[in-house]
Amino acid sequence: MKLVWSPEMATKAFMDTVKSCDIYQGSSVTELISAMAAGWNAKLIVETWCHGDVTTTSVGLAVASTHTCGRHVCIVPDQESGTEYATAMAKYGMSPEVIVGEPEKVVNELDVIDFLVVDSRKHEFDRILKAATFGHRGAVLVCKNASSMAVSGFRLRSLFDDGGSRRIVRSVFLPVGNGLDIAHVAAVESGSGSGKVKNNRWIKRVDRQSGEEFLIRK
């Protein structure tokens, strides 16, 4: 079983997020991320947050989790951040699960992450992504505030396409808000409990209409 896209779920989450955030003109990072998480039917949605960050993206992820009947987890570095986050989300009538700890260690202990959101402004974001453990359905990774990374030439693909055990099937940079770097990590082998992708033979195919590249495991 792999992540399967559902346009209906994405649309419902998008509209509910718009209502929750009282935003009615145009789209934003919040609505887009919410729609993606719901559209991929993510069962474990994980994000990182710390003191002073905005919670609009969190609202979108919370909305998505209600549509997928999934678990929404927010990782914070300290108790102060956890209290601030919980208070801010309570204003929207939402109460995601909050875990206090070092993000890099927490994501490694959480199994079967389907949807992971990090902030590129935080210096440890790349270590968090590499430490995350994914299930047999694969996962979607989202890096917010990625415009500066685009300028420097950084892409999420560079974290995984190094001959290791995990591969990115497709990735894209979207100039939305301060930039989103998004990647779909390939599903693990059936029966593997490691959360890593085994090396296999991959064949590249290009969609002539959209121009998208796809890696197909043979």
Side-chain angles (χ1 to χ4, degrees):
M1 182 179 178
K2 297 182 180 180
L3 289 173
V4 179
W5 178 256
S6 169
E8 295 79 12
M9 290 275 279
T11 300
K12 291 178 181 178
F14 181 94
M15 296 307 298
D16 284 350
T17 300
V18 169
K19 295 175 183 178
S20 297
C21 296
D22 292 326
I23 302 173
Y24 297 98
Q25 294 183 345
S27 62
S28 71
V29 171
T30 300
E31 291 88 19
L32 177 58
I33 292 179
S34 176
M36 286 194 298
W40 287 113
N41 195 28
K43 297 303 181 183
L44 177 54
I45 300 171
V46 179
E47 64 170 326
T48 59
W49 195 93
C50 67
H51 175 71
D53 288 350
V54 297
T55 54
T56 49
T57 298
S58 301
V59 172
L61 294 176
V63 170
S65 68
T66 62
H67 284 280
T68 65
C69 297
R71 178 186 175 195
H72 174 201
V73 174
C74 180
I75 304 172
V76 297
D78 49 59
Q79 194 60 53
E80 179 185 4
S81 296
T83 300
E84 181 182 344
Y85 177 85
T87 300
M89 293 299 287
K91 294 179 180 179
Y92 295 95
M94 300 173 177
S95 55
E97 180 180 346
V98 178
I99 298 179
V100 179
E102 186 177 337
E104 186 177 346
K105 292 182 178 179
V106 175
V107 296
N108 188 252
E109 296 171 355
L110 289 171
D111 293 330
V112 199
I113 295 177
D114 293 320
F115 201 89
L116 176 60
V117 181
V118 297
D119 192 332
S120 68
R121 295 175 301 182
K122 306 301 188 290
H123 69 277
E124 77 281 8
F125 82 93
D126 54 340
R127 298 200 304 271
I128 295 173
L129 292 174
K130 296 194 74 171
T133 301
F134 309 126
H136 64 280
R137 300 201 311 155
V140 174
L141 310 180
V142 178
C143 193
K144 303 185 299 181
N145 301 304
S147 291
S148 60
M149 295 195 305
V151 173
S152 65
F154 178 90
R155 287 291 184 274
L156 286 179
R157 186 178 291 275
S158 66
L159 295 178
F160 299 97
D161 289 358
D162 57 359
S165 56
R166 294 187 290 185
R167 289 180 179 271
I168 286 182
V169 178
R170 69 187 94 169
S171 63
V172 63
F173 173 80
L174 299 178
V176 180
N178 292 322
L180 290 177
D181 213 353
I182 306 168
H184 181 194
V185 179
V188 301
E189 282 293 311
S190 177
S192 172
S194 65
K196 309 299 181 182
V197 177
K198 293 183 178 180
N199 290 321
N200 290 280
R201 183 180 177 185
W202 292 78
I203 301 175
K204 183 170 73 174
R205 292 287 184 268
V206 178
D207 188 310
R208 294 183 179 179
Q209 293 184 335
S210 66
E212 285 188 288
E213 293 185 359
F214 299 90
L215 288 174
I216 303 173
R217 186 171 59 223
K218 185 173 182 181

